Amino acid sequence: MRTLIPAEISAQARPLGRGGRVLGFGLTRRALLLLFCGLLLSIPAFFHPHRIWMMFAWDGLLLLIAIIEAVSLPSPQQLQVTRRFLDSPRLGQPTHVELQILQHSSRILEIDLTDDLHPTLTPIPQTRRVEAFPRDAARTQVTCFPGVRGDLRLGNVFLRYRGMTKLVERWAVCPMSQDVRVFPAFDTSGEDASMYLMRVRQLEMQRRKVKLRGTGREFESMRDYVGGDELRNLSWTATARRGKLITRQFTTERSQQVWVVL
């Protein structure tokens, strides 16, 4: 039901932490790997000490490029994130949560988004990577399976984005606290069909014979003849063996239905 889908929420990113404007940066794995490769340039210095400048020149060049990249990265205020539920959260059913990011800078950014969903939705936070073009919304989805029903509190969305060289990344957070309600699982058309077939099979298995003496024609037992019995019900073979009149008894069949009403 569309009416049970939580309303979407949007927020503008901001620097992570109090000193995020200055300290909200970090070197990427690529930068650390290149710096480690610079240590290889120190090997010739063991034989020619004056060549140690090669390592310092390499490291200095990488750090200079990283500083220029950090300065040119757009501010977090230029990024906007929207969280949107594509399904109504249902207990034990797959629920798709879409994250949309729109950036207003003039650069192409590689962004990692981590949505702080409730632990009953995703025990381990999932990180999604998107490539965001200027003023073009980029989208990614997270699939979760609600484990409990009731009201849940969702947290913020954390961002890490990089520029063209991918030597340095900037950290940001979108304040997107939100309350959502997880409903019991509703029956779908496919589930209704399976339940109907299961009920039919149960009714077939529950059919039992109820033995009632009457005008049915299924044999039940024999007894001595009593005045008033129909002559057609006499068993002549049993009469010949016992030397006295024997009458056949019959039963009628009925289906026994058992109903459990909750």
Side-chain angles (χ1 to χ4, degrees), residues 97-132:
V97 182
E98 181 184 80
L99 293 177
Q100 173 185 296
I101 183 165
L102 181 64
Q103 58 106 354
H104 302 281
S105 68
S106 58
R107 306 190 59 183
I108 300 177
L109 302 178
E110 184 183 73
I111 307 176
D112 290 341
L113 299 96
T114 304
D115 197 353
D116 185 19
L117 298 175
H118 196 273
T120 58
L121 299 179
T122 54
I124 301 177
Q126 303 182 28
T127 300
R128 293 290 186 268
R129 177 170 296 179
V130 298
E131 191 174 17

Short mmCIF file of all heavy atoms in Angstrom, two decimals, residues 97-132:
data_model
loop_
_atom_site.label_atom_id
_atom_site.label_comp_id
_atom_site.label_asym_id
_atom_site.label_seq_id
_atom_site.Cartn_x
_atom_site.Cartn_y
_atom_site.Cartn_z
N VAL A 97 15.53 0.73 0.03
CA VAL A 97 15.74 2.12 0.44
C VAL A 97 16.67 2.76 -0.59
O VAL A 97 17.78 2.27 -0.83
CB VAL A 97 16.34 2.21 1.85
CG1 VAL A 97 16.49 3.67 2.27
CG2 VAL A 97 15.48 1.46 2.85
N GLU A 98 16.22 3.83 -1.20
CA GLU A 98 17.00 4.51 -2.23
C GLU A 98 17.62 5.77 -1.65
O GLU A 98 16.96 6.55 -0.97
CB GLU A 98 16.10 4.87 -3.42
CG GLU A 98 16.85 5.56 -4.56
CD GLU A 98 15.93 5.98 -5.67
OE1 GLU A 98 15.27 7.04 -5.53
OE2 GLU A 98 15.84 5.25 -6.67
N LEU A 99 18.91 5.96 -1.96
CA LEU A 99 19.62 7.18 -1.60
C LEU A 99 19.94 7.94 -2.88
O LEU A 99 20.53 7.38 -3.81
CB LEU A 99 20.91 6.86 -0.84
CG LEU A 99 20.74 6.23 0.55
CD1 LEU A 99 22.11 5.91 1.14
CD2 LEU A 99 19.97 7.15 1.48
N GLN A 100 19.55 9.18 -2.91
CA GLN A 100 19.81 10.05 -4.06
C GLN A 100 20.68 11.21 -3.62
O GLN A 100 20.40 11.86 -2.61
CB GLN A 100 18.49 10.56 -4.64
CG GLN A 100 18.66 11.61 -5.74
CD GLN A 100 17.34 12.17 -6.19
OE1 GLN A 100 16.50 11.46 -6.74
NE2 GLN A 100 17.13 13.46 -5.97
N ILE A 101 21.73 11.47 -4.37
CA ILE A 101 22.64 12.57 -4.05
C ILE A 101 22.73 13.50 -5.24
O ILE A 101 22.83 13.07 -6.39
CB ILE A 101 24.03 12.05 -3.64
CG1 ILE A 101 24.92 13.22 -3.23
CG2 ILE A 101 24.67 11.21 -4.73
CD1 ILE A 101 26.16 12.81 -2.48
N LEU A 102 22.65 14.78 -4.95
CA LEU A 102 22.72 15.83 -5.97
C LEU A 102 23.79 16.81 -5.54
O LEU A 102 23.73 17.37 -4.44
CB LEU A 102 21.37 16.52 -6.10
CG LEU A 102 21.27 17.64 -7.14
CD1 LEU A 102 21.49 17.09 -8.55
CD2 LEU A 102 19.92 18.33 -7.04
N GLN A 103 24.80 17.01 -6.40
CA GLN A 103 25.88 17.92 -6.07
C GLN A 103 25.91 19.06 -7.08
O GLN A 103 25.75 18.85 -8.28
CB GLN A 103 27.23 17.17 -6.01
CG GLN A 103 27.62 16.45 -7.28
CD GLN A 103 28.73 17.16 -8.02
OE1 GLN A 103 29.15 18.26 -7.61
NE2 GLN A 103 29.21 16.56 -9.10
N HIS A 104 26.12 20.27 -6.56
CA HIS A 104 26.00 21.49 -7.36
C HIS A 104 27.36 22.07 -7.74
O HIS A 104 27.44 23.24 -8.14
CB HIS A 104 25.20 22.54 -6.58
CG HIS A 104 23.82 22.09 -6.20
ND1 HIS A 104 22.77 22.08 -7.09
CD2 HIS A 104 23.34 21.59 -5.03
CE1 HIS A 104 21.68 21.62 -6.49
NE2 HIS A 104 22.00 21.32 -5.24
N SER A 105 28.42 21.30 -7.63
CA SER A 105 29.72 21.78 -8.04
C SER A 105 29.91 21.55 -9.54
O SER A 105 29.04 21.01 -10.22
CB SER A 105 30.84 21.08 -7.25
OG SER A 105 30.91 19.71 -7.62
N SER A 106 31.06 21.92 -10.05
CA SER A 106 31.37 21.76 -11.47
C SER A 106 32.34 20.60 -11.70
O SER A 106 32.96 20.53 -12.76
CB SER A 106 31.96 23.06 -12.03
OG SER A 106 33.14 23.42 -11.31
N ARG A 107 32.46 19.71 -10.74
CA ARG A 107 33.42 18.61 -10.84
C ARG A 107 32.68 17.28 -10.76
O ARG A 107 31.54 17.19 -10.28
CB ARG A 107 34.46 18.70 -9.73
CG ARG A 107 35.17 20.03 -9.63
CD ARG A 107 36.33 19.96 -8.69
NE ARG A 107 37.30 18.94 -9.10
CZ ARG A 107 38.40 18.63 -8.41
NH1 ARG A 107 38.64 19.26 -7.26
NH2 ARG A 107 39.23 17.72 -8.82
N ILE A 108 33.36 16.25 -11.24
CA ILE A 108 32.84 14.88 -11.12
C ILE A 108 33.42 14.27 -9.84
O ILE A 108 34.64 14.26 -9.65
CB ILE A 108 33.22 14.04 -12.35
CG1 ILE A 108 32.65 14.66 -13.62
CG2 ILE A 108 32.72 12.61 -12.19
CD1 ILE A 108 33.04 13.94 -14.90
N LEU A 109 32.54 13.78 -8.99
CA LEU A 109 32.96 13.28 -7.68
C LEU A 109 32.64 11.80 -7.56
O LEU A 109 31.62 11.31 -8.09
CB LEU A 109 32.24 14.04 -6.56
CG LEU A 109 32.43 15.55 -6.51
CD1 LEU A 109 31.62 16.15 -5.37
CD2 LEU A 109 33.90 15.91 -6.38
N GLU A 110 33.53 11.10 -6.88
CA GLU A 110 33.28 9.71 -6.49
C GLU A 110 32.90 9.73 -5.01
O GLU A 110 33.70 10.14 -4.16
CB GLU A 110 34.51 8.85 -6.72
CG GLU A 110 34.29 7.38 -6.42
CD GLU A 110 35.56 6.57 -6.60
OE1 GLU A 110 36.46 6.70 -5.73
OE2 GLU A 110 35.67 5.82 -7.57
N ILE A 111 31.69 9.28 -4.71
CA ILE A 111 31.13 9.46 -3.37
C ILE A 111 30.78 8.10 -2.79
O ILE A 111 30.17 7.26 -3.47
CB ILE A 111 29.88 10.36 -3.40
CG1 ILE A 111 30.20 11.68 -4.11
CG2 ILE A 111 29.35 10.61 -2.01
CD1 ILE A 111 29.00 12.58 -4.28
N ASP A 112 31.15 7.88 -1.54
CA ASP A 112 30.74 6.71 -0.76
C ASP A 112 29.67 7.15 0.23
O ASP A 112 29.89 8.09 1.01
CB ASP A 112 31.92 6.09 -0.01
CG ASP A 112 32.92 5.43 -0.95
OD1 ASP A 112 32.54 5.14 -2.09
OD2 ASP A 112 34.08 5.23 -0.54
N LEU A 113 28.52 6.49 0.21
CA LEU A 113 27.41 6.81 1.10
C LEU A 113 27.19 5.65 2.06
O LEU A 113 27.07 4.50 1.63
CB LEU A 113 26.12 7.08 0.32
CG LEU A 113 26.13 8.24 -0.68
CD1 LEU A 113 26.43 7.74 -2.08
CD2 LEU A 113 24.78 8.96 -0.67
N THR A 114 27.11 5.95 3.33
CA THR A 114 26.82 4.97 4.37
C THR A 114 25.60 5.44 5.15
O THR A 114 25.64 6.48 5.80
CB THR A 114 28.01 4.80 5.33
OG1 THR A 114 29.17 4.43 4.58
CG2 THR A 114 27.72 3.72 6.35
N ASP A 115 24.52 4.68 5.04
CA ASP A 115 23.27 5.04 5.69
C ASP A 115 23.20 4.35 7.05
O ASP A 115 23.30 3.12 7.15
CB ASP A 115 22.08 4.63 4.83
CG ASP A 115 20.79 5.32 5.25
OD1 ASP A 115 20.80 6.01 6.28
OD2 ASP A 115 19.78 5.16 4.55
N ASP A 116 23.04 5.14 8.09
CA ASP A 116 22.97 4.62 9.46
C ASP A 116 21.54 4.16 9.74
O ASP A 116 20.80 4.82 10.47
CB ASP A 116 23.43 5.68 10.45
CG ASP A 116 23.50 5.14 11.88
OD1 ASP A 116 23.54 3.90 12.04
OD2 ASP A 116 23.52 5.95 12.83
N LEU A 117 21.16 3.03 9.15
CA LEU A 117 19.83 2.48 9.38
C LEU A 117 19.78 1.77 10.73
O LEU A 117 20.82 1.50 11.35
CB LEU A 117 19.46 1.50 8.27
CG LEU A 117 19.39 2.09 6.85
CD1 LEU A 117 19.15 1.00 5.84
CD2 LEU A 117 18.30 3.15 6.76
N HIS A 118 18.58 1.46 11.17
CA HIS A 118 18.41 0.77 12.45
C HIS A 118 19.00 -0.64 12.35
O HIS A 118 18.93 -1.29 11.30
CB HIS A 118 16.92 0.69 12.81
CG HIS A 118 16.67 0.36 14.24
ND1 HIS A 118 16.59 -0.95 14.69
CD2 HIS A 118 16.49 1.15 15.33
CE1 HIS A 118 16.36 -0.93 15.99
NE2 HIS A 118 16.29 0.32 16.40
N PRO A 119 19.62 -1.15 13.45
CA PRO A 119 20.24 -2.48 13.38
C PRO A 119 19.28 -3.60 13.01
O PRO A 119 19.70 -4.62 12.46
CB PRO A 119 20.80 -2.68 14.80
CG PRO A 119 21.01 -1.30 15.32
CD PRO A 119 19.91 -0.48 14.72
N THR A 120 17.98 -3.44 13.29
CA THR A 120 17.03 -4.49 12.91
C THR A 120 16.76 -4.49 11.40
O THR A 120 16.22 -5.46 10.88
CB THR A 120 15.70 -4.31 13.66
OG1 THR A 120 15.17 -3.01 13.38
CG2 THR A 120 15.92 -4.45 15.16
N LEU A 121 17.12 -3.41 10.72
CA LEU A 121 16.99 -3.36 9.27
C LEU A 121 18.24 -3.92 8.59
O LEU A 121 18.16 -4.78 7.72
CB LEU A 121 16.73 -1.93 8.80
CG LEU A 121 15.44 -1.26 9.31
CD1 LEU A 121 15.34 0.16 8.77
CD2 LEU A 121 14.22 -2.07 8.90
N THR A 122 19.40 -3.41 8.99
CA THR A 122 20.67 -3.91 8.48
C THR A 122 21.63 -4.02 9.67
O THR A 122 22.04 -3.00 10.21
CB THR A 122 21.26 -2.97 7.43
OG1 THR A 122 21.33 -1.64 7.98
CG2 THR A 122 20.42 -2.95 6.17
N PRO A 123 21.97 -5.24 10.10
CA PRO A 123 22.88 -5.38 11.25
C PRO A 123 24.21 -4.68 11.03
O PRO A 123 24.78 -4.12 11.96
CB PRO A 123 23.04 -6.89 11.36
CG PRO A 123 21.85 -7.48 10.68
CD PRO A 123 21.51 -6.53 9.58
N ILE A 124 24.73 -4.69 9.80
CA ILE A 124 25.99 -4.03 9.47
C ILE A 124 25.69 -2.93 8.46
O ILE A 124 25.11 -3.21 7.41
CB ILE A 124 27.00 -5.03 8.89
CG1 ILE A 124 27.28 -6.15 9.91
CG2 ILE A 124 28.30 -4.33 8.52
CD1 ILE A 124 28.21 -7.21 9.40
N PRO A 125 26.08 -1.68 8.74
CA PRO A 125 25.81 -0.60 7.77
C PRO A 125 26.45 -0.90 6.42
O PRO A 125 27.59 -1.35 6.34
CB PRO A 125 26.43 0.63 8.45
CG PRO A 125 26.47 0.29 9.91
CD PRO A 125 26.70 -1.19 9.98
N GLN A 126 25.70 -0.65 5.38
CA GLN A 126 26.17 -0.91 4.02
C GLN A 126 26.62 0.40 3.37
O GLN A 126 25.95 1.42 3.48
CB GLN A 126 25.06 -1.55 3.18
CG GLN A 126 24.52 -2.85 3.77
CD GLN A 126 23.46 -3.46 2.89
OE1 GLN A 126 23.44 -3.28 1.68
NE2 GLN A 126 22.54 -4.20 3.50
N THR A 127 27.77 0.33 2.70
CA THR A 127 28.32 1.49 2.01
C THR A 127 28.16 1.30 0.51
O THR A 127 28.50 0.25 -0.03
CB THR A 127 29.80 1.69 2.36
OG1 THR A 127 29.93 1.88 3.78
CG2 THR A 127 30.37 2.90 1.65
N ARG A 128 27.63 2.32 -0.15
CA ARG A 128 27.42 2.29 -1.59
C ARG A 128 28.26 3.41 -2.24
O ARG A 128 28.34 4.51 -1.70
CB ARG A 128 25.94 2.49 -1.94
CG ARG A 128 25.06 1.33 -1.51
CD ARG A 128 25.33 0.10 -2.37
NE ARG A 128 24.41 -0.99 -2.08
CZ ARG A 128 24.65 -1.95 -1.20
NH1 ARG A 128 25.79 -1.92 -0.51
NH2 ARG A 128 23.77 -2.92 -1.01
N ARG A 129 28.86 3.09 -3.38
CA ARG A 129 29.70 4.06 -4.10
C ARG A 129 29.00 4.47 -5.38
O ARG A 129 28.52 3.63 -6.15
CB ARG A 129 31.06 3.46 -4.41
CG ARG A 129 31.99 4.36 -5.22
CD ARG A 129 33.40 3.81 -5.28
NE ARG A 129 34.00 3.78 -3.95
CZ ARG A 129 35.23 3.32 -3.70
NH1 ARG A 129 35.97 2.84 -4.69
NH2 ARG A 129 35.70 3.32 -2.46
N VAL A 130 28.94 5.79 -5.61
CA VAL A 130 28.32 6.33 -6.81
C VAL A 130 29.27 7.36 -7.42
O VAL A 130 30.16 7.91 -6.75
CB VAL A 130 26.95 6.98 -6.50
CG1 VAL A 130 25.98 5.95 -5.95
CG2 VAL A 130 27.11 8.14 -5.52
N GLU A 131 29.07 7.61 -8.69
CA GLU A 131 29.80 8.66 -9.40
C GLU A 131 28.80 9.76 -9.71
O GLU A 131 27.85 9.55 -10.48
CB GLU A 131 30.43 8.11 -10.68
CG GLU A 131 31.40 9.06 -11.33
CD GLU A 131 32.12 8.42 -12.51
OE1 GLU A 131 31.64 7.38 -13.01
OE2 GLU A 131 33.16 8.97 -12.94
N ALA A 132 29.01 10.91 -9.12
CA ALA A 132 28.07 12.02 -9.21
C ALA A 132 28.59 13.06 -10.19
O ALA A 132 29.70 13.58 -10.02
CB ALA A 132 27.83 12.64 -7.83
#
